[in-house]
Amino acid sequence: MRNFAAILEREVRSYFLSPLAYVVIFFFLAVSGIFFYLILSNFVEICIRATMQAQMYQMMPPKLNVNMMAIRPMLHNMALFALFFLPLVTMKLYAEEKKSGTIELLMTSPVTDGQVMLGKYTASLVLYLVMLALTFVYMIFIYAYGEPETGPILSGYLGLFLLGAAYLAFGLFFSSLTENQIIAAASTFAFILVFWAIGWISDFVSPRIGRVLAYFSLIEHFDDFARGVIDTKHIVFYLSFVFFGLFLTYLSIQSARWRGAK
Amino acid sequence: MIEVRHLSRNFGTVKAIEDVTFDVRKGEIVGFLGPNGAGKTTTMRILTGYIPATSGTAKVAGFDVQEQSLEVRKRIGYMPENPPLYGDMTVESYLHFVAKIKGVDGKLRKRNVEKVMEQVEIKDVRHRLIRTLSKGYKQRVGLAQALVHDPEVLILDEPTIGLDPKQIREVRTLIKNLAGEHTVILSTHILPEVSMTCERVIIINKGRIVAEDTPDNLTARLAGSQRVVMEVEGPVDSVISALRAVPGVMSVTADRAGGDSRSVFTVETSVGKDLRKELARTVVEKGWGLYELRTVEMSLEDVFLHLVTQEEEVGN
């Protein structure tokens, strides 16, 4: 536990001592902010038009669901932006240590490879949580001018967290394979993209295979969370993704030891 | 303290080290000497638990490096050839981090960090980012990192590489002072370093141990007797065979650079015998001309070159 905490603390500190964390957080917030503005102004426009129409026909103005029409698309957008930005969070975790040789310190210290791995992974989760927490600012605006339901927002964020955790686990794996951070980030991005889009192929293949492929799609499992449904099926899916990613990372570190590679 | 038995390690088809066996007693400073690529780093990496051996066993303080790796790692301070430093940390926070993952707790940690900074004289840079330090300071922080948990065994891979002469001297003094309390293994390809700092030398070449002794003994054992250089006028082949026939002569090599019909011969004699008289008599009795006869002391440098270039002769 102490070892895990020491690794975690160092990694988190190193994130916030380097410009990387700030750059990633800034751009993630900026891009989500722009889309938040677009989605919200679109929603407001629809509201105004609906109200005017209702007045014209002398009816009660309709109550439009801000959760379904603004927050849900917003959550989907953030899931996509996380796909772009999270590979940048994990890319350095192992690659940098391999390049600078500090991995030799960790691997010859009385800490297990598992403790090192979990410390690093948790550090990336912490950074991601900070990113997500800061986007709550946008939700404050919705609370100020509308009456959203809190449940779907929370479940949506739970979904975002789990989805991101899956990205990060594989980001960690690709970082453990190389000492080049760019390669780590690019392969993470490509890998996640494939598992994001794998569901789209299902329209073109036989229904049975299509169902299987759709099941493996990362985003397919997200929509229920965005709509306010917490289904254990989806939680299990994301957690298995996380475990598989960590398992591969562990294997890759062990194999590097045996091969005597860095 | 350290027991290594028949250790081998292959990288694919390449044998990095083969059947390496040696012991290090408590408090000793042992030098690993060998050319680059001889297998020094591989041996050290196995001892520190960084990579496993292909076969053979190694024990540190009674613990097997493979089976009880974590116990071994607690007791070893290791400085790899490139000190493993995090450039974005300050010297002090880095040492605290290392102490933490080496299992040093609370108050003791603070005291150890202070002590070790004192020891390697880096207190003046304690708040600086490691990335901004000079090479010499970085090397010292690397050494501090290996010492911070007060390990029983210190393993230093090329500790003086890349330092200027003054810093080299300081590091050597530091290492010497560590003996007694700590058991030290250091590797180097610089010969004077070994004779200056180490009590015992293990010479390793092409993955095998070719000799193991104190620096003085090594010099004495191979060359402490003499090499005799003779310049003789006569048919080279018969001179060689005649000299070989003298009892006590181990080998004779000829160098024809002598000019005219003269040649220079290098005669190696077995330990502690002065054969000059017999050699001279042999030459004269055959009726050849003897122009020069002198003995040559071998420096450690010669021993080293001799060992790594003519391994087979060391066997006997």
Side-chain angles (χ1 to χ4, degrees):
Chain A
M1 194 58 204
R2 185 196 48 212
N3 294 333
F4 163 78
I7 305 277
L8 170 64
E9 188 198 330
R10 205 206 72 75
E11 291 293 345
V12 171
R13 264 209 221 183
S14 130
Y15 270 135
F16 289 98
L17 284 173
S18 78
L20 184 93
Y22 302 102
V23 170
V24 167
I25 291 174
F26 172 78
F27 282 110
F28 181 72
L29 288 180
V31 176
S32 334
I34 291 166
F35 276 78
F36 175 72
Y37 171 75
L38 293 176
I39 289 167
L40 205 64
S41 49
N42 187 37
F43 176 69
V44 169
E45 204 171 297
I46 291 171
C47 285
I48 292 172
R49 212 174 292 157
T51 314
M52 277 164 55
Q53 232 163 25
Q55 271 177 347
M56 220 192 295
Y57 298 105
Q58 310 210 319
M59 294 191 315
M60 279 283 287
K63 205 160 165 56
L64 296 172
N65 188 334
V66 65
N67 280 87
M68 284 309 270
M69 298 186 68
I71 296 174
R72 184 173 158 212
M74 184 62 201
L75 289 169
H76 271 280
N77 275 321
M78 289 205 294
L80 180 65
F81 303 146
L83 163 66
F84 294 127
F85 288 109
L86 291 189
L88 303 176
V89 167
T90 47
M91 66 181 183
K92 68 153 203 160
L93 286 173
Y94 276 105
E96 192 179 39
E97 302 230 24
K98 286 179 174 216
K99 185 149 205 163
S100 72
T102 45
I103 193 80
E104 206 161 344
L105 169 67
L106 297 182
M107 290 178 80
T108 57
S109 292
V111 291
T112 63
D113 293 349
Q115 287 165 339
V116 172
M117 180 183 77
L118 289 179
K120 285 176 176 295
Y121 180 62
T122 313
S124 71
L125 287 180
V126 168
L127 179 59
Y128 181 48
L129 278 177
V130 171
M131 284 163 69
L132 286 184
L134 290 172
T135 63
F136 268 125
V137 176
Y138 306 135
M139 299 302 152
I140 292 173
F141 282 103
I142 295 185
Y143 275 101
Y145 297 103
E147 289 157 357
E149 272 185 77
T150 307
I153 296 181
L154 292 182
S155 77
Y157 270 91
L158 174 66
L160 272 182
F161 176 71
L162 288 170
L163 180 70
Y167 295 168
L168 292 171
F170 275 88
L172 188 69
F173 168 60
F174 284 107
S175 182
S176 76
L177 290 180
T178 172
E179 52 181 71
N180 184 319
Q181 301 192 32
I182 312 264
I183 292 177
S187 34
T188 309
F189 178 70
F191 177 86
I192 301 173
L193 199 60
V194 166
F195 273 86
W196 175 289
I198 203 167
W200 301 344
I201 315 169
S202 58
D203 298 339
F204 307 105
V205 293
S206 75
R208 191 173 300 173
I209 299 172
R211 281 234 312 275
V212 174
L213 290 180
Y215 179 78
F216 279 107
S217 164
L218 279 165
I219 195 64
E220 208 77 8
H221 293 266
F222 179 67
D223 194 49
D224 271 350
F225 287 106
R227 287 190 302 157
V229 180
I230 298 178
D231 189 336
T232 25
K233 177 174 89 182
H234 303 314
I235 297 181
V236 167
F237 172 79
Y238 284 130
L239 288 185
S240 359
F241 228 86
V242 168
F243 282 125
F244 191 54
L246 293 180
F247 175 65
L248 288 180
T249 310
Y250 192 73
L251 288 189
S252 119
I253 299 163
Q254 293 291 313
S255 123
R257 242 191 225 278
W258 282 97
R259 280 180 291 124
K262 268 192 180 172
Chain B
M1 195 47 126
I2 300 174
E3 275 175 49
V4 176
R5 295 284 173 274
H6 310 292
L7 210 59
S8 299
R9 167 77 206 204
N10 305 339
F11 292 107
T13 52
V14 181
K15 288 176 176 161
I17 56 167
E18 217 183 333
D19 198 22
V20 166
T21 298
F22 65 90
D23 283 295
V24 180
R25 285 185 306 276
K26 197 169 163 32
E28 233 183 341
I29 303 188
V30 171
F32 261 168
L33 186 59
N36 293 323
K40 293 169 290 182
T41 300
T42 303
T43 311
M44 292 184 153
R45 283 183 166 172
I46 292 172
L47 285 177
T48 54
Y50 184 56
I51 54 171
T54 308
S55 65
T57 58
K59 279 185 180 176
V60 175
F63 296 100
D64 189 280
V65 293
Q66 211 128 325
E67 306 297 324
Q68 295 149 301
S69 181
L70 291 185
E71 289 301 319
V72 170
R73 293 191 221 166
K74 270 183 210 163
R75 290 165 175 80
I76 285 186
Y78 174 42
M79 180 163 93
E81 197 173 332
N82 295 313
L85 307 174
Y86 292 104
D88 57 3
M89 295 177 103
T90 64
V91 170
E92 193 171 1
S93 62
Y94 169 72
L95 290 176
H96 270 280
F97 167 70
V98 176
K100 227 184 280 179
I101 60 170
K102 300 281 183 186
V104 185
D105 279 318
K107 263 192 190 152
L108 187 63
R109 181 160 74 230
K110 199 153 189 200
R111 202 159 34 151
N112 277 8
V113 169
E114 288 298 320
K115 191 183 133 197
V116 86
M117 282 195 296
E118 181 93 57
Q119 217 171 352
V120 301
E121 292 167 33
I122 50 174
K123 277 202 155 166
D124 47 330
V125 295
R126 63 197 293 171
H127 298 303
R128 293 242 317 255
L129 286 183
I130 292 178
R131 155 177 83 229
T132 66
L133 297 178
S134 67
K135 175 90 185 149
Y137 267 114
K138 280 183 181 162
Q139 197 80 5
R140 277 191 257 171
V141 177
L143 204 55
Q145 161 275 130
L147 285 165
V148 76
H149 56 303
D150 199 16
E152 295 169 49
V153 177
L154 262 180
I155 296 187
L156 311 171
D157 198 354
E158 304 265 2
T160 57
I161 204 162
L163 297 181
D164 66 40
K166 183 170 161 280
Q167 293 165 332
I168 290 179
R169 210 171 320 132
E170 286 166 4
V171 169
R172 280 181 193 155
T173 323
L174 189 67
I175 293 170
K176 261 190 168 166
N177 292 339
L178 293 173
E181 257 183 90
H182 307 266
T183 308
V184 184
I185 298 186
L186 66 89
S187 79
T188 178
H189 60 275
I190 309 162
L191 293 155
E193 185 151 301
V194 168
S195 48
M196 266 180 257
T197 47
C198 302
E199 294 157 22
R200 206 147 58 85
V201 192
I202 293 171
I203 298 183
I204 181 165
N205 186 44
K206 291 181 189 153
R208 286 175 172 279
I209 290 181
V210 290
E212 186 188 338
D213 215 327
T214 63
D216 293 345
N217 275 359
L218 260 188
T219 315
R221 192 175 106 200
L222 267 121
S225 56
Q226 303 89 4
R227 256 182 185 183
V228 182
V229 172
M230 311 172 73
E231 192 176 345
V232 179
E233 189 182 40
V236 176
D237 293 337
S238 6
V239 174
I240 290 180
S241 53
L243 292 179
R244 279 227 176 103
V246 176
V249 170
M250 276 159 55
S251 72
V252 182
T253 47
D255 176 5
R256 281 159 210 271
D260 299 344
S261 51
R262 289 184 223 161
S263 299
V264 176
F265 297 88
T266 307
V267 180
E268 267 175 51
T269 63
S270 57
V271 188
K273 273 190 189 163
D274 190 352
L275 293 178
R276 277 177 292 181
K277 208 167 95 188
E278 286 80 355
L279 290 171
R281 188 189 302 137
T282 310
V283 173
V284 173
E285 274 176 1
K286 295 275 185 183
W288 298 320
L290 180 58
Y291 287 84
E292 194 189 353
L293 177 68
R294 64 188 160 91
T295 61
V296 183
E297 284 290 323
M298 273 168 104
S299 68
L300 193 57
E301 197 110 12
D302 294 323
V303 175
F304 175 69
L305 282 175
H306 183 89
L307 283 169
V308 297
T309 50
Q310 308 175 42
E311 289 171 62
E312 61 280 355
E313 283 185 16
V314 181
N316 49 42

